[in-house]
């Protein structure tokens, strides 16, 4: 009694290793089935049209399991092809009037064959296996991946599927029986200094083809070199030609021969280095561009702003974001206008690999413009800052940077429409404001100052020598006393772990103010911090502190260590239980580049409190500057806060005792008596009993 058709579909791809194989003699396909069943193979192929699933009218024959086996189909002893045998196990699940279809799909061909299977009534047991049918066989390409689908036609149930990996010539013991394999076993890749040799040791009468190509994840391969050769050959490649996707294809020059591929440079470090050296960014339109490269690669890109003078290009993240990059795929940035100072940075594995100022070719060289960043908040609140090498300077500002000095004029230019808007969305905007006219004014003032100085110098020379000496001595003393009276600027940064720790920080800041230090801390600038935002406030304070020769103090706590580790791992700060005024969180985007680029020593010091955190818990990157424990190392800490060229004062120990006395009540309040858990403990690395107290 005939039972339904089933469909087998095979598609080719890439794969593993098989050893000795059974040989089939003759070119004809064949089929056989389990004892008790009858089956036959139709003479010709049929169209591969599986159709939709339809309800079964009654009992049907359905495939339940697929098995595959590799065999050789041989015309003679040394003329074989790789072939795939498929066995389909069948069961009666529900009309026993049906047919069986096998569909084979293998690039670049596809075929379907038709089998007819009959099951005697005596073997029909609902839900039980009735045997199997075997098809010999489907010829498949070496080094392919075969995907198999099996189902009935009409299709009553969801199809079965199976994937079979086929070996290439290197995985076969019987390579000498397959003509297409005769070239490959003698193909070796060897290195000789900067060169790579492809050694093909074959007989003198053997003819074969060899091709080099770039294998592409998407799209067809890109051919690089092809030649028909005879006999043994040594082909030399320069190391600069190597890229990870460079592959070699070898085949005998015979009709319908199978080509074998090898890609030996996928993990070669030189190949990966060459890949980035060959990569190029190409501007298509104002907003669209693409990355040209021989191979696909994991990368992300962002815009940056490059000012004249050789300063590093500053990523505009935020307000913009990093975008994933696909080779040869058009990408877009949401720009309103182009600008020669706008550049594209491409990173891979958190390392800068490529940077190009795409708009400079069409818009000219870099301009001495200032980039203004507008940040928009709720209820139409907005703030402005000017991007400078030292950070983003809030406007208006009393700082001593160029943008701060010209802040009033920049705001006027912005309001009068003289600035070019580059980007705009609900969160903010970017504006490029020209500085040329202010440069001319500045040089005019410089020349005027020079003339005044020359006149003053001439006047001094007219005075008596002794009088001039005395006047200069008094002037020098006044300058020194004024500098000593003002003290060195110190910016104190901390993580607001809890209210108790904030009180402890406030006590330390107040104690340091009793010394010749000008201390800035966000606790004392809450109104300004709220108006400007933490990022703008910190950038302005940090820039002013460093430009005045001051020092930035990183006060580490368990919460600060956890936040630093989070930034170092992810490059961004995730949400946490930090307050809206936490300048430490906002500061990391600017502090980290100083440490990564080696600018921190001399401008930064670290500190932590005894019994709260051990210095070893501070991330290694931040231990490139001194990290002191307080109050046990107060003398050394205060010495590091002095001016770099200032002599060590004999009163340093006295001042340390003064700060320690002022700090002690806050320490006693924060650290409870023994047996009581201290606030803030157990928050991050290094926290807990015994951390930093020597126990």
């Amino acid at each position: 009694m005939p039972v339904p058709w089933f469909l087998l579909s095979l598609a080719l791809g890439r794969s593993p290793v098989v050893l000795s194989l059974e040989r089939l003699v003759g070119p004809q396909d064949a089929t056989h089935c389990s004892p008790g069943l009858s089956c036959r193979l139709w003479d010709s192929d049929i169209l591969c049209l599986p159709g939709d699933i339809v309800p079964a009218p009654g009992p049907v024959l359905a495939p339940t399991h697929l098995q595959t086996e590799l065999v050789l189909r041989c015309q003679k002893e040394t003329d074989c092809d790789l072939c795939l045998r498929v066995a389909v196990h069948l069961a009666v699940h529900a009309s026993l009037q049906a047919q069986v279809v096998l569909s084979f799909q293998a690039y670049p061909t596809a075929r379907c064959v038709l089998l007819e299977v009959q099951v005697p009534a005596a073997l029909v047991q609902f839900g039980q296996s009735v045997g199997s049918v075997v098809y010999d066989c489907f010829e498949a390409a070496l080094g392919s991946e075969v995907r198999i689908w099996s189902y009935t036609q009409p299709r009553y149930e969801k199809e079965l599927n199976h994937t079979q990996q086929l070996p290439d010539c290197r995985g076969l013991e019987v390579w000498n029986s397959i003509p297409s394999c005769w070239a490959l076993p003698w193909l070796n890749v060897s290195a000789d200094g900067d060169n790579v040799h492809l050694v093909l040791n074959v007989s003198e009468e053997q003819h074969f083809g060899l091709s080099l190509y770039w294998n592409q994840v998407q799209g067809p391969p890109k051919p690089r070199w092809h030649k028909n050769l005879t006999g043994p050959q040594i082909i030399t490649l320069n190391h600069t030609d190597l890229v990870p996707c460079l592959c070699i294809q070898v085949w005998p020059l015979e009709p319908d021969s199978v080509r074998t591929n090898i890609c030996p440079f996928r993990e070669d470090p030189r190949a990966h280095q060459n890949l980035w050296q060959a990569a190029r960014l190409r501007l298509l339109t104002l907003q669209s561009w693409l990355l040209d490269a021989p191979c696909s690669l994991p990368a992300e890109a962002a815009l940056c702003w490059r000012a004249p003078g050789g300063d590093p290009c500053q990523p505009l993240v935020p307000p913009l974001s990093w975008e994933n990059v696909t080779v040869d795929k058009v990408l877009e940035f949401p720009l309103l206008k182009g600008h020669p100072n706008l550049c594209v940075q491409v990173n891979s594995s958190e390392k800068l690999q490529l940077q190009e100022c795409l708009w400079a070719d069409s818009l000219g060289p870099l301009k001495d413009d200032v980039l203004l960043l507008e940040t928009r908040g709720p209820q139409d609140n907005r703030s402005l800052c000017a991007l400078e090498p030292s950070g983003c300077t809030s406007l208006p500002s009393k700082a001593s940077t160029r943008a701060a000095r010209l802040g009033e004029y920049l705001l006027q230019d912005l309001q009068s429409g003289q600035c070019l808007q580059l980007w705009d969305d609900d969160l903010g905007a970017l504006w490029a404001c020209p500085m040329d006219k202010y440069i001319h004014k500045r040089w005019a003032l410089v020349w005027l100052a020079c003339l005044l100085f020359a006149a003053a110098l001439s006047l001094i020379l007219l005075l008596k020598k002794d009088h001039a000496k005395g006047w200069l001595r008094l002037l020098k003393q006044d300058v020194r006393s004024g500098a000593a009276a003002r003290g060195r600027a110190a910016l104190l940064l901390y993580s607001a772990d809890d209210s108790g720790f904030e009180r402890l920080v406030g006590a330390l800041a107040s104690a340091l103010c009793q010394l010749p230090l000008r201390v800035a801390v966000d606790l004392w600038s809450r109104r300004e911090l709220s108006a400007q935002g933490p990022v703008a406030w910190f950038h302005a304070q940090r820039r002013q502190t460093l430009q005045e020769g001051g020092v930035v103090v990183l006060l580490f706590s368990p919460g600060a260590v956890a936040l630093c580790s989070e930034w170092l791992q992810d490059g961004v700060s995730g949400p946490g239980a930090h307050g809206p005024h936490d300048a430490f969180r906002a500061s990391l985007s600017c502090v980290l580049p100083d440490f990564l680029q080696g600018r921190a020593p001399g401008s930064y010091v670290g500190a932590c409190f005894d019994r709260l955190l051990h210095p070893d818990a501070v991330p290694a990157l931040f231990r490139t500057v001194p990290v002191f424990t307080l109050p046990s190392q107060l003398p050394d800490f205060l010495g590091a806060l002095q001016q770099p060229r200032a002599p060590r004062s004999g009163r340093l120990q006295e001042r340390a005792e003064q700060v320690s006395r002022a700090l002690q009540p806050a320490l006693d309040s924060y650290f409870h008596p023994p047996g009581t858990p201290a606030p803030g403990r157990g928050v991050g690395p290094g926290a807990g009993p015994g951390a930093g107290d020597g126990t």
Side-chain angles (χ1 to χ4, degrees):
M1 183 180 299
V3 184
W5 306 86
F6 70 88
L7 179 71
L8 256 193
S9 178
L10 300 120
L12 295 184
R14 280 238 130 328
S15 77
V17 169
V18 176
L19 297 177
S20 58
L21 304 178
E22 179 184 343
R23 295 171 181 262
L24 303 179
V25 180
Q28 292 80 21
D29 293 349
T31 185
H32 60 274
C33 45
S34 300
L37 303 184
S38 62
C39 55
R40 72 182 181 90
L41 174 66
W42 282 33
D43 295 334
S44 60
D45 293 355
I46 64 171
L47 294 176
C48 300
L49 300 173
D52 299 326
I53 296 178
V54 298
V60 296
L61 187 65
T64 60
H65 180 61
L66 291 175
Q67 283 184 300
T68 58
E69 179 184 1
L70 291 176
V71 296
L72 291 179
R73 170 175 283 169
C74 302
Q75 307 299 323
K76 53 185 180 180
E77 182 68 21
T78 59
D79 187 8
C80 302
D81 292 299
L82 195 62
C83 209
L84 186 65
R85 170 184 289 165
V86 181
V88 183
H89 296 262
L90 307 170
V92 176
H93 281 186
S95 120
L96 301 179
Q97 302 292 331
Q99 297 173 322
V100 175
V101 174
L102 294 179
S103 173
F104 299 93
Q105 296 178 349
Y107 180 82
T109 61
R111 61 182 298 227
C112 289
V113 297
L114 185 62
L115 303 175
E116 185 175 352
V117 181
Q118 292 186 340
V119 181
L123 294 180
V124 175
Q125 296 183 16
F126 185 78
Q128 299 296 318
S129 174
V130 294
S132 62
V133 59
V134 177
Y135 172 75
D136 281 331
C137 60
F138 174 63
E139 292 185 16
L142 293 162
S144 301
E145 177 184 88
V146 179
R147 295 182 180 179
I148 307 168
W149 296 270
S150 174
Y151 49 92
T152 61
Q153 187 174 351
R155 194 149 59 106
Y156 300 122
E157 298 181 359
K158 186 177 180 181
E159 70 274 10
L160 297 177
N161 63 79
H162 177 75
T163 300
Q164 174 67 52
Q165 301 284 344
L166 304 186
D168 57 24
C169 295
R170 293 166 295 168
L172 296 172
E173 288 183 349
V174 291
W175 56 264
N176 56 346
S177 298
I178 304 176
S180 59
C181 286
W182 291 349
L184 186 62
W186 292 276
L187 172 61
N188 294 307
V189 180
S190 62
D192 180 15
D194 289 339
N195 296 323
V196 173
H197 298 314
L198 306 181
V199 181
L200 295 107
N201 186 15
V202 297
S203 61
E204 293 184 358
E205 67 275 5
Q206 184 171 344
H207 305 280
F208 59 92
L210 187 141
S211 176
L212 301 180
Y213 65 94
W214 289 342
N215 191 33
Q216 304 296 302
V217 174
Q218 296 179 344
K222 296 181 180 179
R224 305 299 299 165
W225 183 86
H226 165 77
K227 199 167 186 179
N228 294 333
L229 303 170
T230 302
Q233 297 283 341
I234 298 179
I235 299 171
T236 301
L237 302 178
N238 192 285
H239 73 281
T240 58
D241 298 327
L242 306 184
V243 290
C245 61
L246 180 64
C247 299
I248 306 164
Q249 188 178 72
V250 183
W251 68 98
L253 294 178
E254 297 178 358
D256 301 323
S257 61
V258 177
R259 302 190 178 202
T260 304
N261 303 278
I262 177 175
C263 303
F265 308 111
R266 289 174 178 167
E267 306 300 328
D268 192 319
R270 294 180 303 176
H272 284 271
Q273 182 179 359
N274 293 339
L275 174 60
W276 281 110
Q277 291 177 350
R280 293 292 180 268
L281 298 177
R282 185 154 54 93
L283 185 66
L284 303 178
T285 65
L286 168 66
Q287 296 178 324
S288 61
W289 58 281
L290 60 77
L291 173 63
D292 278 333
C295 315
S296 61
L297 41 82
E300 56 182 4
L303 286 175
C304 64
W305 179 264
R306 184 180 178 187
D311 291 319
C313 198
Q314 296 173 275
L316 301 179
V317 180
L320 302 178
S321 59
W322 289 97
E323 301 288 342
N324 291 328
V325 178
T326 302
V327 173
D328 294 334
K329 181 180 178 181
V330 177
L331 299 171
E332 291 188 355
F333 282 123
L335 292 175
L336 301 176
K337 298 287 185 180
H339 194 282
N341 295 29
L342 282 176
C343 306
V344 177
Q345 287 184 337
V346 180
N347 281 11
S348 181
S349 302
E350 300 183 357
K351 181 181 179 181
L352 178 62
Q353 299 286 2
L354 198 60
Q355 176 179 299
E356 291 189 26
C357 300
L358 300 178
W359 292 269
D361 291 339
S362 58
L363 300 178
L366 300 179
K367 295 183 178 180
D368 193 16
D369 290 359
V370 170
L371 187 70
L372 299 186
L373 169 60
E374 177 184 347
T375 303
R376 296 167 183 164
Q379 300 178 352
D380 295 331
N381 289 333
R382 69 175 196 167
S383 60
L384 282 167
C385 67
L387 192 65
E388 298 187 277
S390 57
C392 206
T393 305
S394 59
L395 298 179
S397 173
K398 297 181 180 179
S400 58
T401 65
R402 182 180 71 163
R405 290 192 297 269
L406 301 174
E408 181 179 349
Y409 301 105
L410 291 173
L411 294 176
Q412 291 176 0
D413 288 349
L414 181 62
Q415 294 173 359
S416 62
Q418 297 185 45
C419 296
L420 179 67
Q421 188 173 20
L422 305 179
W423 170 78
D424 181 66
D425 75 353
D426 295 337
L427 300 179
L430 294 175
W431 306 80
C433 298
M435 297 288 288
D436 295 344
K437 56 184 178 181
Y438 304 118
I439 293 176
H440 297 321
K441 291 181 180 179
R442 181 179 64 186
W443 280 111
L445 293 175
V446 169
W447 280 111
L448 180 60
C450 290
L451 292 174
L452 292 175
F453 176 76
L457 184 60
S458 300
L459 181 61
I460 291 175
L461 293 176
L462 293 176
L463 298 176
K464 291 182 179 181
K465 184 177 180 181
D466 292 341
H467 286 237
K469 277 187 171 182
W471 180 79
L472 290 174
R473 190 182 302 111
L474 290 175
L475 179 61
K476 186 176 180 180
Q477 291 175 355
D478 288 343
V479 169
R480 287 181 175 176
S481 60
R486 292 182 68 232
R488 191 184 189 190
L491 174 60
L492 189 59
L493 298 177
Y494 68 99
S495 173
D497 291 6
D498 50 52
S499 58
F501 187 73
E502 281 192 310
R503 288 192 293 270
L504 185 57
V505 172
L508 175 62
S510 298
L512 294 177
C513 284
Q514 299 176 16
L515 308 177
L517 287 173
R518 292 178 291 114
V519 180
V521 63
D522 68 335
L523 283 172
W524 301 339
S525 306
R526 287 290 167 84
R527 179 177 298 178
E528 183 180 357
L529 191 68
S530 298
Q532 298 179 11
V535 175
W537 182 87
F538 168 74
H539 282 320
Q541 294 295 327
R542 170 191 163 279
R543 187 209 66 259
Q544 181 177 350
T545 299
L546 296 183
Q547 287 191 344
E548 294 178 357
V551 61
V552 178
V553 180
L554 301 178
L555 190 56
F556 289 99
S557 63
V561 169
L563 193 56
C564 291
S565 301
E566 188 178 321
W567 269 82
L568 291 172
Q569 292 173 3
D570 303 332
V572 295
S573 177
H578 294 266
H581 304 297
D582 190 355
F584 189 85
R585 171 184 291 268
S587 70
L588 286 180
S589 62
C590 197
V591 166
L592 281 176
D594 287 343
F595 279 85
L596 292 171
Q597 298 173 18
R599 299 194 303 260
S603 300
Y604 287 79
V605 297
C608 57
F609 289 107
D610 295 323
R611 295 187 291 158
L612 180 62
L613 188 78
H614 195 280
D616 291 343
V618 175
L621 177 65
F622 296 97
R623 296 203 301 271
T624 55
V625 300
V627 178
F628 303 98
T629 56
L630 307 179
S632 61
Q633 294 182 329
L634 261 174
D636 294 332
F637 174 66
L638 298 182
L641 298 185
Q642 288 185 336
Q643 294 284 355
R645 295 182 177 85
R648 299 279 293 189
S649 172
R651 299 180 56 197
L652 200 57
Q653 184 64 37
E654 179 183 343
R655 290 175 177 175
E657 293 174 358
Q658 177 185 349
V659 173
S660 180
R661 286 193 299 270
L663 193 59
Q664 197 58 48
L667 289 170
D668 293 340
S669 174
Y670 185 74
F671 295 105
H672 288 204
T676 304
R681 286 193 178 187
V683 179
D693 59 359
T695 60

